[in-house]
Every structure is written in C-alpha cells, then in structure tokens.
C-alpha cells in the first residue's frame, strides 16, 4: 500500500527535474520511502517469517528471506531508501546476520523521530537523545544481559548457529547443520601475530553439488577444490607441498594474430615452432626449479607440459576458480602470479611466491573426486560440501550457512552472547524508559521514543508467528520490568533473559532454551540503525539540479 502511495505521490516526480524540497516535506518523503522498504522486509523477520520470491528482468528467480539479499535484488531508486539498502549490505558484510532487524529498527526510529520533529522538537535534540539512548543501551546490554561463552560451552556455539539458521531454509535440519558450521569454524582457528585468535569465514570453502539430500552434506578439513589432477599419470598425493598459484596459461605460446614473418627456408619454420613450445617449457622449468611440487592454475595446461610435471613428480591442476586460488594463496602464504615477467622484462619465478601446506591430495569423497589442500601454513582451512536438490535450494542453503558461519565467528571472537526472541529489545526498552525519566531535559522524549521503537522487533516476531502480539509483548514487558526492579541477587533477575517462544506463543527463558545471539551483532545493529536514522533525520533540504537546457 505504502509503495503505491509513494509512486502516485506527485512529489516523487520532483526528483526528475530541477527542484527543491525542504523541511517537513522532505522528512515526510524520506520516512515514507524507508517505511516502504521496511514494510517489504517485515513479514520475513524471525523463525516463522515468510519468504520472498524475486524475479529479475531476465526471469531468474531467487527465493529467500535474507534481508540483505532481498534488498540487493530490489531496484531501489529513492535516495533515502538507498541508505537503508546500504545499511543492510553493510550489516551483512560486517556481522553476516541481523539484516532484517536493522532495517526495521532504523525505519521505526526514523518514523518516531519525525513525529517528534512535527511536535516542535528540534532534530538536533532528537539526535542527541537517540545517541544517548543507544550508548546507554549498549552499556546495559554488555553489563547485564550478556553471558560469557566459556560458561555455556560448545552447546552455546551450536545454539547460536541454530538461532541464525532458524529463519532460513536450513531450519528443518538445524540439528545437523549447526554442529557442522561450528566444526568448520573451529577448524580454521588461527592465532595472528598479536596472539589474537581469529576465525576467518573465507577460510571455509562452501562447495555446492547437485543431487542427494541436504543431510548428506559433509565437512572436510582442508581447502577442497572441485577439480582433479590434470593427468592420470600424475601423483595424487604430495606431502610437504610447495604450492605455486598461477593465473596464466601453461599452453604452447603462439604468436599474436597479424604478426608477419617472412622466411625462405622450411627449417626456419620448424625452428619457430620449436621455440614456441620451448618458451612455455622454460617458464615451467623456472617454476619447478624453485622446488614447487604442486602447481595450480586458473587456465589450461598443455600436454607437452604435463609430461614435464609427471617427470618432475609434481602435481598440476588446471581450470581452478580464481576465487579459490586467491583464498588458497592467502591460506598457504603464496602469491597468485599472473605473469613471470619482472620489472626488467625478464621472466623469473621467485621461491617467495610459493605457498606451503602439509599435504595436497586427490581424494574420492562420497562420489566426488576432490583436491584437498590440508594443513595450510598461514590460515587453517576447512570445506563444507553442500548437497541439495536444485540450484535455488543450494543457493539459499549457502546463504544460510554463510550467515551461521559469520555468527559463530562473531561469537568465538567476542566471547559473549545475549538471549534472542525479543528478550534483549524488551529489556532495553524497559531500561531506557526508566532511564528517560531520570533526565530532566528534552532528550527524555527522544529516549522514550527510542525505547518504544525497540519493541518493533518482538511485536513483528509475534505477528509473523500468527500470535497475539499485543498480549505477548505486554507479558514480556511485565516480566522484564519485574526483573529490572529486583535487587541484584534476587532470583527474579533471571526474568531478564525471557523472550518469545514463537512456536507455542509463550514467554520463556530463551537463554536456557538456547535461543542465543552474539552480543556484538546486537550492539552493531543498534549502532548501525541509529547511524542510518540520524543521517536521514539531519536532512532538511533536498535539491535536485535541473538537466542542462540546450
Ligand atoms: P535477521 O535478518 O535480522 O537476522 P531473521 O529473520 O534471521 O532476521 O530473524 C532474527 C530474529 O529472530 C532475531 O530477533 C532472533 O532473536 C529471532 N529468533 C530466531 N530464532 C528464534 C527462536 N527460535 N525463537 C524466537 N525468536 C527467534
């Protein structure tokens, strides 16, 4: 409904010509555009949210309920709405999850701020109030609502992964995929030079293979390449691998089209042909001379060269994906080499370009032949091979898995979690309401609105689950109010971890129920939503430059 209103709104046309829109009018326009975007996403929030089917202009279909994916596929042209889209993309990049929530929150904050401005509160005051509210909320969340992961153990990581998967295609098989995601992330643990533990998501390679059922997906340690060795005669296992990653053709060198050479002796022709082959062989020998025993290239390898590799006892793999080689290079410490020519125009291959791994092996896993790079030197790697009926399923499974991996990473790196299902939002809402009344300034009003805006998450979750949101949220608020008014050691404080059980339409202890999310991702969504809302609120003039008159 909102979308149609916006399209029919004659003011929207002002963007096409030279024009100026100011004050309340521009704020209304921005709010309406953001509301339109958030209304699209609203129904997909939570474990019982619905999916969207998006069809692009060539007829490709994507079925998803991932906020960032939906927004990236929509063609959003309104400048304010585009800010929300970039907000979701940023959240997806940095945290990997929470994209729908952040958009809903930002648009609700903006709508409420606009109401305040209409009631003659200056935008600067609203922004100051919002900022203070966000700061207090983050502090309260870190101090009172979060629990250390070590206290909860490995189960906690599995539960975090399950919560992230609960709204996605993997929900039905979360007991299978959540431990898989946790194992894959634990396998890539790397300690950096500063002694910090890092879990890079990119070190987990996700391969998709048609056929079989989702539960026949599996994880292997090492970086898996969906390729085979270039020749049957070649070794299929190399230990203490010295890996050359190449982005160049190891085929016979041919002269460029249009080159004319006049010769008067057929032997010279032979000599040219021989030289053409010799050039590639020379390159290859330079690479082998550095001790390389595994050669991976994104392009082809000539039969002539294959013989050379076999004789040298090296393994060569052709037609690897460039992205895979980039990641292998990073994990093994190699450099992806696209040309052997140095600055002086000579062709050399430095031993420093090689990467190292304990073993590179071709293995038959399930019914696929895969090349596995095991024990990579710089960053450990692991791979998950997804099985699924068709492309749509596999793509959506990959997106869901990516979110879960990112969330496990955040949990492992930050080490603390908060209960989900609207528990945090309600707790913060009650806290901020009380906090607002302690202030005697105008910011009080903005903080109270911030508190109310947070309730949009539990309300939408309950609504999407076809439950009575008014009843449930009121009950939840009563629990949290009791918890926060109780003294520190009182057993009532446990009510602080209560959130929604969307399947049964009840209010339960979500920390014990295992509905957990990393604290850092909640903090990040609050901060990002605040940034987006305030940057839009600050706009009080929109000037479109007219096209030049001829
Ligand atoms: P986002 O894109 O924002 O991550 P999701 O559709 O994944 O959106 O929904 C996340 C929301 O669903 C979070 O607020 C989370 O607390 C809630 N949630 C996830 N699993 C459950 C569950 N089992 N019970 C209640 N709430 C849940």
């Amino acid at each position: 409904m909102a979308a149609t209103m916006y399209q029919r709104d004659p003011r929207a046309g002002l963007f096409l010509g030279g024009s100026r829109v100011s004050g309340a009018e521009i704020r209304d326009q921005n709010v309406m555009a953001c509301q339109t975007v958030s209304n699209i996403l609203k129904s997909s929030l939570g474990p019982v949210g619905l999916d969207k089917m998006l069809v692009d202009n060539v007829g490709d279909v994507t079925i998803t309920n991932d906020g960032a994916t939906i927004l990236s596929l929509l063609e959003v042209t309104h400048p304010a709405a585009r800010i929300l889209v970039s907000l979701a993309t940023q959240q997806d990049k940095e945290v990997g999850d929470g994209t729908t929530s952040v958009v809903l929150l930002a648009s609700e904050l903006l709508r409420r701020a606009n109401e305040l401005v209409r009631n003659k509160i200056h935008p600067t005051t609203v922004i100051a109030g919002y900022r203070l509210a966000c700061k207090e909320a983050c502090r309260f969340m870190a101090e009172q609502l979060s629990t250390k992961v070590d206290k909860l153990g490995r189960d906690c990581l599995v539960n975090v992964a399950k919560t992230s998967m609960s709204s996605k295609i993997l929900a039905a098989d979360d007991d299978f995929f959540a431990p898989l995601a946790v194992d894959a992330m634990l396998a890539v643990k790397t300690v950096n030079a500063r002694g910090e533990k890092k879990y890079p998501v990119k070190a987990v390679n996700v391969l998709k293979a048609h056929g079989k059922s989702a539960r026949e997906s599996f994880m292997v340690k090492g970086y898996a390449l969906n390729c085979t060795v270039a020749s049957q005669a070649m070794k299929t296992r190399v230990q203490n691998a010295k890996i050359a990653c190449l982005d160049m053709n190891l085929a016979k060198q041919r002269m460029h089209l249009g080159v004319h050479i006049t010769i008067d002796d057929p032997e010279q022709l032979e000599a040219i042909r021989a030289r053409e082959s010799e050039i590639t062989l020379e390159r290859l020998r330079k690479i082998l001379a550095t001790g390389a025993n595994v050669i991976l290239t994104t392009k082809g390898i000539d039969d002539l060269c294959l013989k050379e590799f076999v004789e040298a006892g090296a393994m060569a793999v052709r037609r690897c994906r460039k992205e895979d080689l980039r990641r292998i290079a990073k994990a093994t410490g190699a450099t992806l080499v696209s040309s052997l020519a140095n600055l002086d125009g000579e062709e050399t291959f430095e031993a420093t370009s090689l990467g190292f791994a304990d073993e590179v092996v071709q293995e038959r896993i399930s019914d696929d032949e895969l090349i596995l790079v095991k024990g990579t030197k710089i960053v450990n790697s692991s791979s998950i091979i997804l099985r699924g009926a068709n492309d749509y399923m596999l793509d959506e499974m990959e997106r869901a898995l990516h979110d879960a991996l990112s969330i496990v990473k955040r949990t492992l790196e930050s080490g603390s979690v908060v209960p989900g299902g609207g528990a945090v939002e309600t707790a913060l809402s009650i806290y901020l309401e009380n906090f607002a009344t302690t202030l005697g300034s105008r910011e009080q009003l903005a903080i109270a609105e911030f508190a109310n805006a947070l309730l949009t998450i539990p309300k939408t979750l309950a609504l999407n689950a076809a439950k009575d949101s008014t009843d449930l949220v009121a009950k939840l608020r009563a629990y949290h109010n009791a918890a926060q008014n109780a003294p520190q050691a009182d057993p009532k404080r446990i009510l602080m971890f209560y959130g929604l059980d969307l399947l049964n339409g009840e209010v339960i202890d979500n920390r014990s129920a295992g509905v957990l999310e990393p604290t850092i991702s909640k903090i990040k969504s609050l901060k990002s939503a605040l940034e987006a809302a305030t940057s839009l609120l600050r706009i009080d003039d929109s000037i479109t430059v007219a096209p030049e008159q001829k």
Side-chain angles (χ1 to χ4, degrees):
M1 179 61 188
T4 13
M5 272 167 60
Y6 175 62
Q7 277 158 10
R8 283 194 202 139
D9 187 343
R11 289 172 299 180
L14 290 172
F15 286 107
L16 300 175
S19 61
R20 177 173 181 180
V21 193
S22 325
E25 198 173 352
I26 179 66
R27 269 193 292 272
D28 286 348
Q29 278 185 13
N30 287 348
V31 170
M32 196 188 282
C34 293
Q35 288 289 109
T36 311
V37 171
S38 87
N39 281 344
I40 294 174
L41 293 190
K42 219 168 198 167
S43 65
S44 67
L45 181 77
V48 263
L50 301 176
D51 287 358
K52 308 273 164 201
M53 180 162 81
L54 298 142
V55 187
D56 69 8
N57 48 12
V58 286
D60 270 351
V61 179
T62 310
I63 300 174
T64 184
N65 79 357
D66 179 47
T69 313
I70 298 171
L71 290 185
S72 66
L73 291 173
L74 291 180
E75 232 172 83
V76 178
T77 50
H78 192 286
R82 282 221 302 264
I83 291 186
L84 280 202
V85 177
S86 68
L87 173 70
T89 323
Q90 200 59 25
Q91 174 84 6
D92 194 42
K93 238 193 234 156
E94 288 184 15
V95 183
D97 202 14
T99 45
T100 316
S101 323
V102 78
V103 171
L104 294 192
L105 198 56
S107 90
E108 186 65 14
L109 284 175
L110 188 62
R111 187 181 69 80
R112 288 176 179 272
N114 195 32
E115 290 300 318
L116 286 177
V117 177
R118 272 201 201 142
N119 290 332
K120 304 277 179 280
I121 313 272
H122 197 274
T124 314
T125 314
V126 179
I127 291 172
Y130 271 12
R131 282 201 191 288
L132 184 58
C134 182
K135 197 168 143 215
E136 276 298 310
C138 292
R139 192 187 57 73
F140 184 76
M141 197 186 328
E143 284 175 9
Q144 305 282 339
L145 298 172
S146 37
T147 315
K148 287 260 168 284
V149 175
D150 342 338
K151 263 196 203 163
L152 303 173
R154 183 191 145 91
D155 277 356
C156 163
L157 294 174
V158 174
N159 284 333
V160 168
K162 274 189 184 168
T163 308
S164 153
M165 285 173 186
S166 65
S167 54
K168 311 272 156 59
I169 190 169
L170 300 180
D173 297 317
D174 60 357
D175 54 333
F176 175 81
F177 281 102
L180 199 76
V182 171
D183 289 340
M185 282 319 283
L186 288 175
V188 300
K189 175 177 158 186
T190 310
V191 181
N192 70 6
R194 274 176 276 145
E196 296 159 342
K197 290 182 196 145
K198 289 280 162 202
Y199 299 85
V201 174
K202 282 202 169 165
V204 181
N205 186 23
V206 180
L207 288 177
K208 295 177 276 186
H210 282 228
K212 298 202 175 174
S213 69
R215 277 187 176 262
E216 278 160 280
S217 306
F218 54 91
M219 181 216 135
V220 284
K221 284 199 175 162
Y223 197 98
L225 279 171
N226 197 4
C227 304
T228 51
V229 289
S231 155
Q232 299 264 328
M234 226 167 239
K235 273 187 171 180
T236 52
R237 179 182 297 270
V238 173
Q239 268 159 346
N240 288 329
K242 297 195 182 89
I243 306 169
C245 296
L246 308 177
D247 181 24
M248 54 193 251
N249 221 342
L250 289 177
K252 193 169 155 188
Q253 195 69 23
R254 290 190 192 280
M255 260 182 267
H256 294 298
L257 270 182
V259 175
H260 286 272
I261 300 177
T262 316
I263 49 169
D264 45 20
D265 183 351
E267 276 183 17
Q268 284 174 321
L269 183 63
E270 262 323 299
I272 291 174
R273 289 212 177 116
R275 182 67 198 134
E276 280 181 343
S277 309
E278 198 57 31
I279 291 175
T280 318
L281 283 178
E282 271 174 19
R283 282 185 185 160
L284 208 152
R285 286 181 193 133
K286 275 180 191 148
I287 296 171
L288 289 174
T290 56
N293 50 15
V294 175
I295 287 86
L296 308 175
T297 175
T298 55
K299 307 223 165 105
I301 302 179
D302 210 89
D303 289 347
L304 207 71
C305 302
L306 287 181
K307 191 165 155 255
E308 193 82 10
F309 283 126
V310 174
E311 280 170 7
M315 180 196 264
V317 182
R318 56 188 160 193
R319 310 252 171 252
C320 303
R321 281 195 328 144
K322 197 164 175 176
E323 178 58 24
D324 282 337
L325 282 204
R326 257 198 218 117
R327 291 194 195 178
I328 290 179
K330 205 163 182 190
T332 58
T335 313
L336 184 58
V337 176
S338 53
S339 155
L340 295 192
N342 65 11
L343 289 179
D344 299 327
E346 290 163 17
E347 293 207 327
T348 58
F349 186 81
E350 304 287 340
T352 47
S353 305
L354 293 179
F356 301 90
D358 294 342
E359 187 179 47
V360 179
V361 58
Q362 175 170 315
E363 272 180 20
R364 174 170 287 274
I365 299 175
S366 183
D367 48 0
D368 293 312
E369 289 279 4
L370 298 174
I371 301 272
L372 294 178
V373 185
K374 293 183 180 171
T376 41
K377 203 82 191 170
I378 308 286
V379 180
N380 295 321
S381 316
S382 65
S383 304
I384 294 176
I385 292 88
L386 286 179
R387 309 299 309 236
N390 53 37
D391 276 341
Y392 304 128
M393 265 188 76
L394 282 169
D395 287 349
E396 182 67 354
M397 278 164 76
E398 187 186 10
R399 280 191 288 268
L401 193 63
H402 173 263
D403 285 6
L405 291 173
S406 311
I407 284 298
V408 174
K409 169 199 163 85
R410 293 284 158 211
T411 315
L412 282 164
E413 286 181 3
S414 68
S416 77
V417 288
V418 286
V424 168
E425 289 80 3
T426 318
L428 293 181
S429 165
I430 297 284
Y431 171 71
L432 289 177
E433 265 177 21
N434 293 334
F435 173 71
T437 49
T438 63
L439 297 179
S441 57
R442 279 163 172 255
E443 278 87 9
Q444 188 194 72
L445 296 171
I447 296 173
E449 289 302 331
F450 195 104
N452 273 329
L454 286 168
L455 291 178
T456 181
I457 303 290
K459 276 182 194 159
T460 314
L461 283 173
L463 212 61
N464 288 350
K467 301 283 182 279
D468 186 338
S469 75
T470 319
D471 250 15
L472 275 178
V473 173
K475 201 165 166 190
L476 200 55
R477 275 165 58 80
Y479 276 37
H480 281 273
N481 194 39
Q484 289 182 30
N485 286 330
Q488 271 301 335
D490 196 305
K492 266 198 187 150
R493 297 288 283 189
I494 192 87
L495 293 177
M496 196 112 74
F497 302 111
Y498 272 53
L500 300 174
D501 170 7
L502 298 171
L503 296 182
N504 303 315
E506 285 168 9
V507 172
I508 57 162
D509 180 355
N510 266 347
R511 190 173 63 167
S512 313
V515 181
L516 298 168
E517 291 172 282
T519 313
I520 187 105
S521 102
K522 283 279 176 203
I523 291 185
K524 189 93 204 143
S525 355
L526 272 190
K527 287 187 175 165
S528 312
L530 170 79
E531 278 314 314
T534 50
S535 61
L536 285 170
L537 194 60
R538 238 188 251 121
I539 300 169
D540 84 330
D541 223 340
S542 165
I543 301 163
T544 316
V545 180
E548 217 169 277
Q549 299 292 323
K550 294 257 163 72

